[in-house]
Amino acid sequence: MKTSATLNLDTRQNLEFADFSIAQILFGDLNRNLQIVEQAAGVQINARGNILSIQGKKHSVDLAVTVLDQLYGLIQKGYPVFSQDIAFALKILSSSPQTHLEEIFLDRVYITSKNRVVSPKSVSQKHYIEAIRHNDIVFGIGPAGTGKTYLAVAMAVSALTAKQVQSIILTRPAVEAGEKLGFLPGDMAQKVDPYLRPLLDALNDMLGREKTQEFMERGIIEVAPLAFMRGRTLNDAFIILDEAQNTTREQMKMFLTRIGFDSKAVVTGDITQIDLPNGNPSGLIEAKKILSKIKGIEFSQFNRSDVVRHPLVQGIIQAYELQSKNTSRKSSRK
């Protein structure tokens, strides 16, 4: 690719891509991908054949050029770039211009039953995956929609497939999120199903419903409330504790001391959504305070910029954070 630039208040760079067919994939149907870059980076892009002319403020043009250049390289290496990938790429490179997208997007964690590649979509997700690979206990802490649980399940299924572990155990504390559900009908499995459904959904997405059911019937995969972990020693297993902000101090200690030989544990939670009754302190918050210096335990922190759900989710999280800060300020003035 060749570049040329004229440095004025408005900068223009011309990009020429060697492979026209790959360039067309990059541009998207009716240049839709270029329109995403235009709107997000605040530039104007004109396409003629395999040549792009990009105009705008220098920092905006530089961002657009870097994004398009790196996405072109990803497509050359067989990565299927979708519109959401362009949004992720813009977000990553706008905050970390020196980042190489290949190191993130080409890190294949797992390929789902529907042949969808699970890979990190942010720098924080990449660090999280690396932490899981190199530590026996990892805490993923951050808001909803940052991929904490989904990536942990993907890593668990990948470890099981590679025979690094013999079983997967997924657990959550059975705490009602601000609602009184009453006495649920049915047997034990039916009673706890609503609490564990998000974990089952992730498993079904990874393996397919039939394979997930088969593994559960054979005891290879176990999905159970946290209370069921008491008194056990979990060897050769990949264990995930989800919604850990709703654990008490005693429950967190109980869970972490269940870890046996050749096992790996991932603890995920959002400390802004604690549903413990009577203002009880969160075991997740305490664990972060007292365990952060232990070798072999790593904490990965996510924030709203790591949200990979619908774009509105990031805005919603930001609005609630702002409201909480304003409330705290008013309280401190009283």
Side-chain angles (χ1 to χ4, degrees):
M1 184 170 62
K2 302 173 183 177
T3 69
S4 61
T6 303
L7 300 177
N8 299 316
L9 287 178
D10 279 346
T11 298
R12 175 177 294 168
Q13 291 198 39
N14 294 328
L15 308 183
E16 182 178 349
F17 299 98
D19 191 319
F20 179 71
S21 61
I22 292 179
Q24 290 300 105
I25 296 172
L26 174 63
F27 299 170
D29 293 337
L30 302 176
N31 291 338
R32 287 196 181 105
N33 292 344
L34 297 182
Q35 292 170 17
I36 295 173
V37 176
E38 277 187 320
Q39 293 173 8
V43 297
Q44 182 179 2
I45 302 177
N46 294 311
R48 289 187 178 181
N50 62 333
I51 299 176
L52 297 180
S53 176
I54 305 173
Q55 186 171 5
K57 300 300 180 184
K58 185 179 185 306
H59 70 278
S60 299
V61 172
D62 288 344
L63 173 61
V65 167
T66 303
V67 167
L68 291 166
D69 184 17
Q70 293 204 36
L71 290 176
Y72 178 82
L74 284 170
I75 297 171
Q76 279 184 312
K77 295 190 175 182
Y79 184 86
V81 172
F82 298 101
S83 58
Q84 61 265 35
D85 293 313
I86 299 171
F88 296 145
L90 284 159
K91 187 187 298 184
I92 291 169
L93 292 173
S94 62
S95 59
S96 304
Q98 304 304 317
T99 301
H100 297 287
L101 295 180
E102 290 183 3
E103 296 177 1
I104 298 176
F105 288 2
L106 295 184
D107 185 354
R108 297 189 175 188
V109 176
Y110 189 72
I111 300 177
T112 71
S113 60
K114 297 180 181 179
N115 291 320
R116 189 173 68 81
V117 176
V118 179
S119 62
K121 302 299 182 184
S122 70
V123 174
S124 296
Q125 287 193 354
K126 173 66 174 178
H127 291 165
Y128 180 52
I129 288 170
E130 290 297 331
I132 294 173
R133 286 174 175 151
H134 297 110
N135 296 275
D136 287 338
I137 298 178
V138 174
F139 288 78
I141 302 174
T146 50
K148 306 181 302 296
T149 301
Y150 192 81
L151 285 175
V153 173
M155 290 292 288
V157 174
S158 177
L160 181 67
T161 303
K163 298 183 179 180
Q164 296 170 354
V165 296
Q166 295 182 6
S167 63
I168 296 174
I169 299 172
L170 309 179
T171 185
R172 288 178 118 189
V175 176
E176 298 166 355
E179 301 176 58
K180 297 301 180 184
L181 303 181
F183 293 97
L184 296 173
D187 58 22
M188 181 58 68
Q190 291 171 321
K191 289 178 186 293
V192 301
D193 183 81
Y195 297 107
L196 304 174
R197 176 52 51 187
L199 295 172
L200 289 171
D201 288 343
L203 278 174
N204 289 334
D205 193 31
M206 298 290 168
L207 295 169
R209 291 183 181 277
E210 291 184 4
K211 195 70 173 178
T212 298
Q213 187 62 36
E214 176 192 339
F215 280 176
M216 291 180 70
E217 289 174 354
R218 293 168 56 189
I220 296 173
I221 293 177
E222 178 183 351
V223 184
L226 180 59
F228 286 21
M229 299 297 108
R230 190 173 298 278
R232 300 176 61 181
T233 300
L234 306 174
N235 296 314
D236 295 307
F238 197 117
I239 312 126
I240 299 173
L241 170 58
D242 192 32
E243 296 290 333
Q245 75 275 7
N246 288 329
T247 60
T248 63
R249 177 185 189 277
E250 292 75 17
Q251 285 176 321
M252 179 62 75
K253 181 181 177 183
M254 179 272 291
F255 171 78
L256 293 175
T257 53
R258 299 308 94 202
I259 311 304
F261 293 106
D262 299 316
S263 286
K264 190 179 290 286
V266 179
V267 179
T268 68
D270 177 2
I271 58 176
T272 69
Q273 297 191 47
I274 298 172
D275 301 306
L276 288 169
N278 303 321
N280 289 331
S282 169
L284 178 59
I285 293 177
E286 183 186 58
K288 186 178 179 182
K289 291 178 181 177
I290 67 176
L291 302 178
S292 59
K293 294 183 179 180
I294 297 180
K295 187 176 181 180
I297 299 178
E298 186 160 338
F299 288 79
S300 290
Q301 187 69 49
F302 297 86
N303 56 52
R304 64 173 180 267
S305 66
D306 299 307
V307 171
V308 293
R309 289 182 184 168
H310 192 287
L312 284 175
V313 174
Q314 185 173 337
I316 291 168
I317 292 170
Q318 184 175 2
Y320 274 98
E321 287 179 353
L322 181 61
Q323 193 271 342
S324 296
K325 288 179 181 178
N326 290 337
T327 302
S328 297
R329 286 172 187 162
K330 290 178 181 178
S331 298
S332 63
R333 291 171 185 167
K334 293 180 180 179

